[in-house]
Amino acid sequence: MDKKNDSKKNNHKQKMQKLKESVDASIAAATIEKGIGILLTGEGKGKTSSALGMVLRSLGYGFKVGVVQFIKGAHPSGEAKFFLHNHPDITFHQMGTGFTWETQDRDGDIKAALETWAIAEDMLKDESYYLVVLDELTYMLSFKYLDEERVLKTLNSRPKNQTVVVTGRGGGKALRDWADTVSEVKEVKHAFNSGIMAREGVDY
Ligand code: ATP
Ligand code: MG
């Protein structure tokens, strides 16, 4: 019994040693210091909330953060309520029109998208912003409300130490190529599909 236990312990020790060596090697190999491009896409829940998690982290270190939301929900989101009133280090902007999925006013939406992009562009040229979140930007590109080439040019010429997080379903090839980190949130299930209403503070 003791022998069995000893060999288990030894095996575990060896495994952990190997793991440590591999993690240490990866850490040693990562020598580039710069802001990163992050794309959070896919069909499941968790893209915007993950981006907001990074906002929280950056604010924790006292960094300045910009958040631009390219879609106006049916309700003011919890994050909009919080950021507009509670934090001096954050600039928050939500596309302020009657944009909905059933929009009948394409020209109005394009105008709103361009105005909102202008605000994002200012942040992407300002190195005092450590983190910029472009929430739901992917839709502006897939609806062709914004010119993809112009957007990518601005993303690529941003300050070296600035990290940008783009969220939204269907981030296309150009955005994937631009990003250093791409995560796809997979839907396994969503409460909404069992008839459960979207929840304040959880879903918006
Ligand atoms: P969250 O803001 O909760 O992180 P998200 O940004 O990944 O979600 P969006 O596509 O932006 O997802 O949708 C925002 C809203 O739609 C949230 O209320 C979210 O709960 C809901 N939602 C997200 N994914 C799904 C899904 N697969 N089915 C139904 N509703 C969803
Ligand atoms: Mg979202």
Side-chain angles (χ1 to χ4, degrees):
M1 187 65 185
D2 272 357
K3 260 193 180 165
K4 225 180 178 181
N5 248 343
D6 279 354
S7 116
K8 254 191 185 169
K9 272 188 193 162
N10 254 338
N11 273 347
H12 180 72
K13 206 176 160 186
Q14 274 176 8
K15 263 191 199 158
M16 293 311 279
Q17 181 66 29
K18 271 206 175 137
L19 181 63
K20 184 176 170 355
E21 279 166 17
S22 125
V23 172
D24 285 351
S26 306
I27 293 171
T31 53
I32 305 165
E33 201 178 324
K34 67 179 189 95
I36 55 183
I38 301 175
L39 173 65
L40 304 174
T41 187
E43 305 288 315
K45 170 177 167 62
K47 300 172 290 292
T48 298
S49 32
S50 165
L52 294 172
M54 286 177 264
V55 168
L56 189 65
R57 284 184 174 162
S58 291
L59 292 175
Y61 285 98
F63 294 126
K64 189 167 148 185
V65 173
V67 178
V68 181
Q69 293 193 311
F70 282 88
I71 199 162
K72 188 187 171 220
H75 316 267
S77 61
E79 60 267 25
K81 286 172 180 285
F82 181 80
F83 291 136
L84 286 173
H85 302 295
N86 289 287
H87 212 290
D89 291 336
I90 191 155
T91 311
F92 184 92
H93 183 83
Q94 199 172 30
M95 194 159 82
T97 67
F99 184 94
T100 68
W101 295 112
E102 295 85 30
T103 183
Q104 301 294 315
D105 180 13
R106 187 178 155 83
D107 288 348
D109 287 345
I110 291 176
K111 188 168 169 275
L114 285 169
E115 283 166 11
T116 308
W117 174 249
I119 291 164
E121 231 169 10
D122 284 346
M123 293 176 179
L124 296 166
K125 285 177 183 157
D126 181 347
E127 64 178 9
S128 72
Y129 284 98
Y130 180 82
L131 179 77
V132 176
V133 173
L134 305 174
D135 191 35
E136 323 296 352
L137 176 70
T138 55
Y139 302 106
M140 302 299 104
L141 301 179
S142 52
F143 294 166
K144 303 213 181 315
Y145 288 179
L146 296 177
D147 178 55
E148 188 174 72
E149 211 172 297
R150 176 176 163 190
V151 167
L152 281 155
K153 202 172 159 199
T154 308
L155 288 176
N156 281 321
S157 44
R158 73 186 193 280
K160 180 175 175 274
N161 289 316
Q162 187 180 78
T163 287
V164 176
V165 185
V166 173
T167 83
R169 295 177 196 201
K173 184 180 183 314
L175 270 182
R176 282 168 194 252
D177 289 347
W178 158 78
D180 302 290
T181 295
V182 180
S183 293
E184 229 176 63
V185 185
K186 179 175 182 277
E187 184 194 296
V188 177
K189 39 168 155 164
H190 194 287
F192 189 66
N193 297 326
S194 326
I196 304 171
M197 285 168 75
R199 200 105 184 113
E200 256 180 13
V202 175
D203 290 304
Y204 61 89

